[in-house]
Amino acid sequence: MPELDLEAVRAELRAHNPAALLELSEGQWLDAKGAPYELRNPHGVEELAKDVAAFANGGGGVIVVGITTRLEHGREILDKVNSVGLGFVDLDQWRKLIRQHITPAPRGTSVEWSGDRQGACVVYIDVPAQDPGCLFVVAAPVGKKGAPRTDTVAVPVREADGTHWLPRTELQRLLSGGVAASGMPTAQALAKLLREAVAQGQSETGPQIGQGLPSRQQEMREAYEQLRSVGLGQPVGEAYARGPAAIQEFTGGKGQPGWVLCVVDGLAPVAVAQPVWQAIRAAGRDRAGGHPLAVVGYPVPGPDRAHHHGPWAVPADAQSVDLDGGSWGTGRLIRSGRDVWRWEPAEQLGFTVSRYARNWTAQRPAPQLRLRALVAWPWADTADLQVTSGKRQDLERALPHSALAGAVTILSRRRGAELPAAQWGRGSWRNTPTAVSYTSTIVAPDGRGALSAAVMMSVEDTVVTCADVLIEDASAWAALLPGDAGTRLGLDEVQALFLAAWETVAEALPDAIVDPARMRWSAPPTTELRLSAEGPHDQPSPGLGALIDLEALGPGEDQVRPEMAVTITRSPVMHRRERQAVLRRALVHMARHFGYVWAEEELL
């Protein structure tokens, strides 16, 4: 049986290794729940408050939600991880209920995800040791659905591996001791306590603006005054911090949804309607182990507010909201016509090479030139995705008529030869329910490959779609062309090939497994465009300039360059005209980075 103390358990959970707790026994500082609290039922809220308050009164501990137990020799042993679905638990709601239903709110209590790469995911509530002179109480349980009474009190305590209510006799003893310590007769002391309670109830009927964040309370009060005209009502819970943001929820007007006040360091304060706020949080909820806002970021003024620097609001009928400050970078949440929200990254051009960039490049002999478009689709749930027989047949029928086949055919047609990329067969890579590989090769009379087009797809944790256009052998291609037609590609041809390859990997290939429009991201999607002069492997590369006419880009660095590439971070799904514009920007960005500093979009 494992030997883990409380601090070791905390460390394993923070390291996203919940399985390390299996075979531990429940005890004074550890409790396990097989399923989340049912917080739509008042009894579930009572149970949550009781369990947390018991640990606060008992020296601290950890409640792990998502691990079942078995009874063994009279002890409850943590037996199996029963993963909690990320979409079924609202960590902020749990935190808020703990603050609202326990008096005083236990300091330092955290509610977090802990999930490993195999998909095991739990929620844990970490209750640190509290001031020994403080007693934590909750409202006495009502025993049935309904609002808890405000004139009752109960004290939960942790004893061994169970949670119990402090007996009435013990409560009476503690109250008597407190009254005696006050130095006043019982009646006088109780009357004084009642007067103080009534006065406090009259002055503070609920949470105050900024309550819970003393250092930012004044800032939040000022923001509230600036934004109250949009309909901010009364606070419905204490304020809390999430990274650089101070956040507090408020009621709305009569019959209107509530609001969330969000104040981020360095930005104008914003009030976000509750439905939009929930959509923001949901967009980043598929990433376990962190708060959703740390993933997608916080609302920021969009281009329409570029010249406005004051407080602003995002109403419930907003169609989009710009976000920044999260690990995913700048993006936008967009509402579809079906009233479904979807996060999309803002366009970013860079040179980060993904771990998929070299997939499907081990063929022998190596092509002289490879032009590649590769898209990484990091969808939130790919477990059930596969290429069905019917979808594979549709793809096989579509490839001879695809944009990619047409672009390769036009290469020869422009040089006076009709060499269509019309015959597609199984490629040299895998074809399974989770993999696709098809190739069309134009062959010279002597059997040498001249030109090839290829598509590949891998359906794993991240779906990857790829299209290559290959000049296998320039001399073999020349042998198929009339007269002295050259085989060196122009920039216009490079652009047309990239456009066709990108369209194929962004539209035809993913359609073989799923409708991309209904999938949610677990990370920003990327497109990689790459030009590489590769083979033969046993000879020095002639460089891209020998195979592509780069002179239109202007003077470049005087060296043999075997490769150029660019990475585009944005949604791969777009209209053709928009894709053309993005492609031009990306190719200019790539050219300048690789030494062609005078490159302009007009040259393409």
Side-chain angles (χ1 to χ4, degrees), residues 90 92-93 96 99-100 207-208 220 232-240 247-252 258-262 272 274 277-278 281:
D90 185 339
D92 274 344
Q93 181 190 26
K96 182 169 68 175
R99 292 193 299 267
Q100 289 178 339
Q208 303 301 295
M220 296 200 72
L232 268 67
Q234 297 301 311
V236 295
E238 291 188 354
Y240 56 94
I247 300 166
Q248 192 167 19
E249 299 180 24
F250 292 82
T251 60
W259 293 87
V260 176
L261 179 62
C262 179
V272 184
Q274 270 285 1
W277 184 260
Q278 294 305 318
R281 296 184 65 259

Side-chain angles (χ1 to χ4, degrees), residues 14-361:
R14 288 193 296 266
H16 301 290
N17 186 24
L21 277 60
L22 300 183
E23 300 304 319
L24 289 176
S25 59
E26 289 187 337
Q28 180 69 31
W29 49 264
L30 180 61
D31 190 19
K33 307 286 182 183
Y37 295 93
E38 181 50 73
L39 300 182
R40 289 175 296 183
N41 186 329
H43 181 67
V45 177
E46 291 174 353
E47 284 296 308
L48 171 65
K50 181 188 77 170
D51 291 344
V52 175
F55 275 93
N57 285 324
V62 174
I63 303 168
V64 184
V65 180
I67 296 183
T68 59
T69 62
R70 68 177 187 272
L71 187 62
E72 190 174 287
H73 304 301
R75 295 185 300 170
E76 294 289 344
I77 306 297
L78 277 65
D79 184 53
K80 182 180 179 182
V81 176
N82 185 29
S83 289
V84 176
L86 300 179
F88 294 97
V89 172
D90 185 339
L91 300 191
D92 274 344
Q93 181 190 26
W94 288 34
R95 298 178 184 116
K96 182 169 68 175
L97 290 172
I98 290 170
R99 292 193 299 267
Q100 289 178 339
H101 288 264
I102 302 176
T103 305
R107 295 190 176 276
T109 298
S110 60
V111 184
E112 304 294 345
W113 289 106
S114 180
D116 61 25
R117 294 184 177 180
Q118 285 70 47
C121 192
V122 303
V123 178
Y124 68 95
I125 305 172
D126 185 358
V127 185
Q130 305 290 313
D131 183 347
C134 186
L135 190 66
F136 296 86
V137 302
V138 299
V142 297
K144 60 182 180 179
K145 291 185 177 181
R149 295 180 58 180
T150 58
D151 59 350
T152 64
V153 68
V155 181
V157 292
R158 185 75 176 171
E159 293 181 2
D161 62 350
T163 299
H164 309 284
W165 296 109
L166 198 66
R168 185 175 8 176
T169 54
E170 186 64 14
L171 274 174
Q172 186 276 333
R173 186 187 65 79
L174 291 172
L175 286 170
S176 297
V179 169
S182 69
M184 293 182 288
T186 301
Q188 184 180 353
L190 289 176
K192 183 175 184 294
L193 289 174
L194 284 172
R195 286 195 303 272
E196 291 175 352
V198 170
Q200 184 177 9
Q202 291 174 340
S203 62
E204 294 189 7
T205 58
Q208 303 301 295
I209 298 169
Q211 182 178 332
L213 295 177
S215 63
R216 304 190 68 175
Q217 193 164 23
Q218 183 59 36
E219 179 185 11
M220 296 200 72
R221 287 175 176 172
E222 292 174 359
Y224 175 84
E225 291 301 323
Q226 293 171 321
L227 285 163
R228 66 186 307 172
S229 61
V230 304
L232 268 67
Q234 297 301 311
V236 295
E238 291 188 354
Y240 56 94
R242 286 291 174 269
I247 300 166
Q248 192 167 19
E249 299 180 24
F250 292 82
T251 60
K254 185 176 182 180
Q256 299 298 314
W259 293 87
V260 176
L261 179 62
C262 179
V263 183
V264 179
D265 294 334
L267 295 176
V270 58
V272 184
Q274 270 285 1
V276 182
W277 184 260
Q278 294 305 318
I280 294 172
R281 296 184 65 259
R285 190 172 293 159
D286 291 305
R287 284 286 300 271
H291 191 273
L293 299 182
V295 176
V296 298
Y298 308 89
V300 295
D304 57 330
R305 294 191 54 83
H307 303 294
H308 299 272
H309 304 288
W312 57 295
V314 182
D317 61 355
Q319 297 302 302
S320 66
V321 56
D322 290 88
L323 303 169
D324 202 358
S327 61
W328 286 2
T330 305
R332 171 176 285 192
L333 199 66
I334 303 170
R335 190 202 301 258
S336 72
R338 295 170 294 176
D339 205 31
V340 175
W341 288 92
R342 179 179 175 87
W343 180 88
E344 297 290 358
E347 182 181 307
Q348 297 181 54
L349 303 177
F351 306 97
T352 302
V353 178
S354 76
R355 62 189 179 97
Y356 315 107
R358 305 298 179 185
N359 287 6
W360 306 295
T361 59

